[in-house]
mmCIF file with all atom_site columns, all heavy atoms in Angstrom:
data_model
loop_
_atom_site.group_PDB
_atom_site.id
_atom_site.type_symbol
_atom_site.label_atom_id
_atom_site.label_alt_id
_atom_site.label_comp_id
_atom_site.label_asym_id
_atom_site.label_entity_id
_atom_site.label_seq_id
_atom_site.pdbx_PDB_ins_code
_atom_site.Cartn_x
_atom_site.Cartn_y
_atom_site.Cartn_z
_atom_site.occupancy
_atom_site.B_iso_or_equiv
_atom_site.pdbx_formal_charge
_atom_site.auth_seq_id
_atom_site.auth_comp_id
_atom_site.auth_asym_id
_atom_site.auth_atom_id
_atom_site.pdbx_PDB_model_num
ATOM 1  N N   . GLU A 1 25 ? 47.336 48.198 21.366 1.00 97.00 ? 25 GLU A N   1
ATOM 2  C CA  . GLU A 1 25 ? 46.793 49.546 21.201 1.00 97.00 ? 25 GLU A CA  1
ATOM 3  C C   . GLU A 1 25 ? 46.764 49.930 19.721 1.00 97.00 ? 25 GLU A C   1
ATOM 4  O O   . GLU A 1 25 ? 45.754 50.453 19.234 1.00 97.00 ? 25 GLU A O   1
ATOM 5  C CB  . GLU A 1 25 ? 47.637 50.563 21.976 1.00 97.00 ? 25 GLU A CB  1
ATOM 6  C CG  . GLU A 1 25 ? 47.569 50.427 23.475 1.00 97.00 ? 25 GLU A CG  1
ATOM 7  C CD  . GLU A 1 25 ? 46.286 50.984 24.067 1.00 97.00 ? 25 GLU A CD  1
ATOM 8  O OE1 . GLU A 1 25 ? 45.685 51.893 23.482 1.00 97.00 ? 25 GLU A OE1 1
ATOM 9  O OE2 . GLU A 1 25 ? 45.889 50.480 25.123 1.00 97.00 ? 25 GLU A OE2 1
ATOM 10 N N   . ALA A 1 26 ? 47.863 49.686 19.024 1.00 97.00 ? 26 ALA A N   1
ATOM 11 C CA  . ALA A 1 26 ? 47.933 50.017 17.598 1.00 97.00 ? 26 ALA A CA  1
ATOM 12 C C   . ALA A 1 26 ? 46.917 49.192 16.805 1.00 97.00 ? 26 ALA A C   1
ATOM 13 O O   . ALA A 1 26 ? 46.246 49.716 15.909 1.00 97.00 ? 26 ALA A O   1
ATOM 14 C CB  . ALA A 1 26 ? 49.346 49.790 17.071 1.00 97.00 ? 26 ALA A CB  1
ATOM 15 N N   . ALA A 1 27 ? 46.792 47.910 17.144 1.00 97.00 ? 27 ALA A N   1
ATOM 16 C CA  . ALA A 1 27 ? 45.832 47.047 16.456 1.00 97.00 ? 27 ALA A CA  1
ATOM 17 C C   . ALA A 1 27 ? 44.402 47.520 16.699 1.00 97.00 ? 27 ALA A C   1
ATOM 18 O O   . ALA A 1 27 ? 43.582 47.544 15.768 1.00 97.00 ? 27 ALA A O   1
ATOM 19 C CB  . ALA A 1 27 ? 46.006 45.602 16.917 1.00 97.00 ? 27 ALA A CB  1
ATOM 20 N N   . GLN A 1 28 ? 44.098 47.918 17.931 1.00 97.00 ? 28 GLN A N   1
ATOM 21 C CA  . GLN A 1 28 ? 42.756 48.419 18.236 1.00 97.00 ? 28 GLN A CA  1
ATOM 22 C C   . GLN A 1 28 ? 42.463 49.710 17.477 1.00 97.00 ? 28 GLN A C   1
ATOM 23 O O   . GLN A 1 28 ? 41.347 49.910 16.986 1.00 97.00 ? 28 GLN A O   1
ATOM 24 C CB  . GLN A 1 28 ? 42.602 48.651 19.742 1.00 97.00 ? 28 GLN A CB  1
ATOM 25 C CG  . GLN A 1 28 ? 42.536 47.376 20.540 1.00 97.00 ? 28 GLN A CG  1
ATOM 26 C CD  . GLN A 1 28 ? 42.586 47.615 22.045 1.00 97.00 ? 28 GLN A CD  1
ATOM 27 O OE1 . GLN A 1 28 ? 42.816 48.730 22.504 1.00 97.00 ? 28 GLN A OE1 1
ATOM 28 N NE2 . GLN A 1 28 ? 42.388 46.556 22.811 1.00 97.00 ? 28 GLN A NE2 1
ATOM 29 N N   . ASN A 1 29 ? 43.461 50.567 17.368 1.00 97.00 ? 29 ASN A N   1
ATOM 30 C CA  . ASN A 1 29 ? 43.284 51.800 16.592 1.00 97.00 ? 29 ASN A CA  1
ATOM 31 C C   . ASN A 1 29 ? 43.011 51.486 15.128 1.00 97.00 ? 29 ASN A C   1
ATOM 32 O O   . ASN A 1 29 ? 42.168 52.122 14.493 1.00 97.00 ? 29 ASN A O   1
ATOM 33 C CB  . ASN A 1 29 ? 44.509 52.701 16.720 1.00 97.00 ? 29 ASN A CB  1
ATOM 34 C CG  . ASN A 1 29 ? 44.642 53.325 18.086 1.00 97.00 ? 29 ASN A CG  1
ATOM 35 O OD1 . ASN A 1 29 ? 43.678 53.420 18.840 1.00 97.00 ? 29 ASN A OD1 1
ATOM 36 N ND2 . ASN A 1 29 ? 45.840 53.752 18.430 1.00 97.00 ? 29 ASN A ND2 1
ATOM 37 N N   . ALA A 1 30 ? 43.715 50.486 14.593 1.00 98.00 ? 30 ALA A N   1
ATOM 38 C CA  . ALA A 1 30 ? 43.511 50.088 13.199 1.00 98.00 ? 30 ALA A CA  1
ATOM 39 C C   . ALA A 1 30 ? 42.094 49.554 12.994 1.00 98.00 ? 30 ALA A C   1
ATOM 40 O O   . ALA A 1 30 ? 41.414 49.920 12.025 1.00 98.00 ? 30 ALA A O   1
ATOM 41 C CB  . ALA A 1 30 ? 44.541 49.039 12.789 1.00 98.00 ? 30 ALA A CB  1
ATOM 42 N N   . VAL A 1 31 ? 41.627 48.708 13.896 1.00 98.00 ? 31 VAL A N   1
ATOM 43 C CA  . VAL A 1 31 ? 40.283 48.148 13.795 1.00 98.00 ? 31 VAL A CA  1
ATOM 44 C C   . VAL A 1 31 ? 39.231 49.254 13.879 1.00 98.00 ? 31 VAL A C   1
ATOM 45 O O   . VAL A 1 31 ? 38.248 49.256 13.123 1.00 98.00 ? 31 VAL A O   1
ATOM 46 C CB  . VAL A 1 31 ? 40.058 47.070 14.878 1.00 98.00 ? 31 VAL A CB  1
ATOM 47 C CG1 . VAL A 1 31 ? 38.596 46.659 14.954 1.00 98.00 ? 31 VAL A CG1 1
ATOM 48 C CG2 . VAL A 1 31 ? 40.939 45.856 14.614 1.00 98.00 ? 31 VAL A CG2 1
ATOM 49 N N   . ALA A 1 32 ? 39.442 50.197 14.775 1.00 98.00 ? 32 ALA A N   1
ATOM 50 C CA  . ALA A 1 32 ? 38.505 51.310 14.919 1.00 98.00 ? 32 ALA A CA  1
ATOM 51 C C   . ALA A 1 32 ? 38.427 52.119 13.625 1.00 98.00 ? 32 ALA A C   1
ATOM 52 O O   . ALA A 1 32 ? 37.328 52.496 13.187 1.00 98.00 ? 32 ALA A O   1
ATOM 53 C CB  . ALA A 1 32 ? 38.912 52.205 16.083 1.00 98.00 ? 32 ALA A CB  1
ATOM 54 N N   . CYS A 1 33 ? 39.556 52.359 13.016 1.00 98.00 ? 33 CYS A N   1
ATOM 55 C CA  . CYS A 1 33 ? 39.572 53.103 11.752 1.00 98.00 ? 33 CYS A CA  1
ATOM 56 C C   . CYS A 1 33 ? 38.891 52.309 10.641 1.00 98.00 ? 33 CYS A C   1
ATOM 57 O O   . CYS A 1 33 ? 38.132 52.878 9.846  1.00 98.00 ? 33 CYS A O   1
ATOM 58 C CB  . CYS A 1 33 ? 41.011 53.449 11.350 1.00 98.00 ? 33 CYS A CB  1
ATOM 59 S SG  . CYS A 1 33 ? 41.787 54.668 12.416 1.00 98.00 ? 33 CYS A SG  1
ATOM 60 N N   . GLU A 1 34 ? 39.170 51.007 10.592 1.00 97.00 ? 34 GLU A N   1
ATOM 61 C CA  . GLU A 1 34 ? 38.540 50.162 9.577  1.00 97.00 ? 34 GLU A CA  1
ATOM 62 C C   . GLU A 1 34 ? 37.022 50.167 9.719  1.00 97.00 ? 34 GLU A C   1
ATOM 63 O O   . GLU A 1 34 ? 36.305 50.205 8.714  1.00 97.00 ? 34 GLU A O   1
ATOM 64 C CB  . GLU A 1 34 ? 39.082 48.731 9.673  1.00 97.00 ? 34 GLU A CB  1
ATOM 65 C CG  . GLU A 1 34 ? 40.513 48.609 9.213  1.00 97.00 ? 34 GLU A CG  1
ATOM 66 C CD  . GLU A 1 34 ? 41.188 47.304 9.614  1.00 97.00 ? 34 GLU A CD  1
ATOM 67 O OE1 . GLU A 1 34 ? 40.609 46.540 10.407 1.00 97.00 ? 34 GLU A OE1 1
ATOM 68 O OE2 . GLU A 1 34 ? 42.308 47.067 9.133  1.00 97.00 ? 34 GLU A OE2 1
#
Side-chain angles (χ1 to χ4, degrees):
E25 292 283 333
Q28 289 172 352
N29 289 339
V31 170
C33 291
E34 289 165 351

